[in-house]
């Protein structure tokens, strides 16, 4: 395994996961445009090789994990896939769906594994919700809230639209959007009406829990709301924010269906039985490190032909199409249909 990008997500999620799976995978190289940083990470985690150029790394590995800013996802992934290298790419898939489609095409052409890091699918509560959808029945209304109280990331390039493509939606909301789309599948989104905002984060003298940032430089969304209609007439009410003036952070996914309903965080199942509403509660974990480990295991097993991907590149591309439609709808001030 080679790591492309040696920032926080590589160090805090992917390196620990792969080193826990050391019977199945060995991290043999790391590359970053900041060579000093790459060398520091390599030394800290006993990674034997450091590369200045990821193209050189591709000659020496079986798979890569891409942890760069979003702008570079497509070009690196396509180059790797065309060299016969399997790819795990951090979310979102790319800057837009057109780039994502080129990644999918390269994976299919070269018969290689491409996985996008939507690790919420591997969280205990989400996996149980997926198994419980038979009790929910056909979805009617899905509700998603990915809300943070005053937590614009004050590090990295998160507020740079040229490098990231967007803000709270493309960085944080995409996780719960992917989760919801997976749970209600095979229902497919067909129409989006949305509005994006960047009012709060543009204000001077910020109250912000995640460090300081240049309020004049930020050019990405800090709030997003959307109404999404599906091909079976079900709907999804979506809201995400980095900087909400709310009491506390909120991570919420719930589904009301024809036979029952559920809420994911924490997991609860609601069913009409015996002339009353019954609630089922159970203990589930929301351990993101464990989810990252399970994601790495699934990717390695898929590369070895032992498993199918839980998160397919085609599904990740669908998420990107919805994200594109949300931004387009806001820009145009009207509903947008998804191809």
């Amino acid at each position: 395994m080679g790591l492309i990008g040696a920032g926080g997500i590589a160090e805090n999620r992917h390196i620990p996961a792969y080193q826990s799976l050391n019977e199945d995978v060995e991290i043999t190289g790391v590359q970053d445009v900041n060579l000093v940083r790459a060398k520091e990470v390599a030394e800290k985690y006993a990674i034997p090789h450091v590369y200045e150029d990821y193209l050189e790394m591709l000659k020496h590995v079986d798979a890569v994990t891409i942890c760069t800013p979003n702008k570079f996802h497509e070009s690196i992934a396509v180059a790797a896939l065309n060299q016969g290298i399997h790819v795990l790419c951090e979310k979102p898939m790319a800057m837009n769906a057109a780039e994502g489609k080129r990644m999918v095409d390269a994976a299919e052409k070269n018969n290689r594994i491409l996985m996008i890091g939507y690790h919420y699918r591997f969280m205990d509560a989400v996996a149980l919700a997926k198994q419980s959808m038979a009790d929910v029945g056909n979805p009617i209304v899905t509700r998603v809230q990915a809300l943070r109280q005053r937590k614009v990331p004050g590090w990295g390039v998160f507020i740079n639209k040229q490098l990231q493509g967007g803000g709270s939606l493309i960085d944080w909301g995409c996780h719960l959007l992917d989760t919801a789309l997976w749970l209600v599948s095979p229902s497919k989104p067909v129409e989006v009406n949305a509005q994006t905002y960047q009012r709060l984060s543009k204000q001077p003298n910020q109250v912000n829990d995640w460090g300081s940032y240049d309020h004049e430089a930020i050019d990405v969304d800090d709030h997003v709301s959307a109404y999404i209609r599906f091909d079976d007439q079900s709907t999804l009410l979506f809201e995400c924010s980095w900087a909400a003036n709310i009491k506390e952070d909120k991570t919420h996914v719930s589904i009301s269906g024809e036979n029952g309903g559920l809420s994911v965080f924490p997991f609860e199942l609601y069913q009409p039985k015996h002339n009353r509403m019954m609630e089922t509660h159970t203990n589930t974990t929301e351990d993101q490190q464990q989810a990252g480990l399970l994601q790495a295991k699934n990717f390695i097993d898929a590369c070895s032909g032992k498993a199918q991907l839980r998160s397919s590149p085609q599904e990740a591309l669908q998420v990107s199409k919805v994200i594109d439609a949300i931004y387009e709808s806001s820009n145009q001030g009207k509903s947008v249909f998804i191809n």
Side-chain angles (χ1 to χ4, degrees), residues 274-294:
H274 312 301
N275 296 316
R276 68 197 72 194
M277 286 301 298
M278 306 286 285
E279 291 187 19
T280 300
H281 302 258
T282 188
N283 293 325
T284 56
T285 64
E286 298 176 22
D287 188 335
Q288 299 211 25
Q289 286 301 104
Q290 177 68 10
L293 176 62
L294 294 173

Side-chain angles (χ1 to χ4, degrees), residues 16-33:
Y18 291 136
Q19 292 192 334
S20 296
L21 300 169
N22 56 15
E23 293 186 0
D24 299 313
V25 58
E26 179 186 3
I27 305 173
T28 57
V30 59
Q31 184 272 337
D32 195 285
V33 293

Side-chain angles (χ1 to χ4, degrees), residues 42 71 84 98 102 105 116 149 180 188 191 248 261 292 317 331:
K71 180 178 179 179
R102 289 192 284 270
D105 290 345
I116 309 304
Q149 180 205 59
K188 292 184 178 181
E191 184 181 7
E248 58 190 4
L317 180 59
N331 288 337

Side-chain angles (χ1 to χ4, degrees), residues 180-198:
L181 293 179
W182 185 49
L183 292 179
V184 303
S185 175
S187 301
K188 292 184 178 181
V190 295
E191 184 181 7
V192 173
N193 197 315
Q195 185 66 52
T196 68
Y197 307 87
Q198 53 174 225

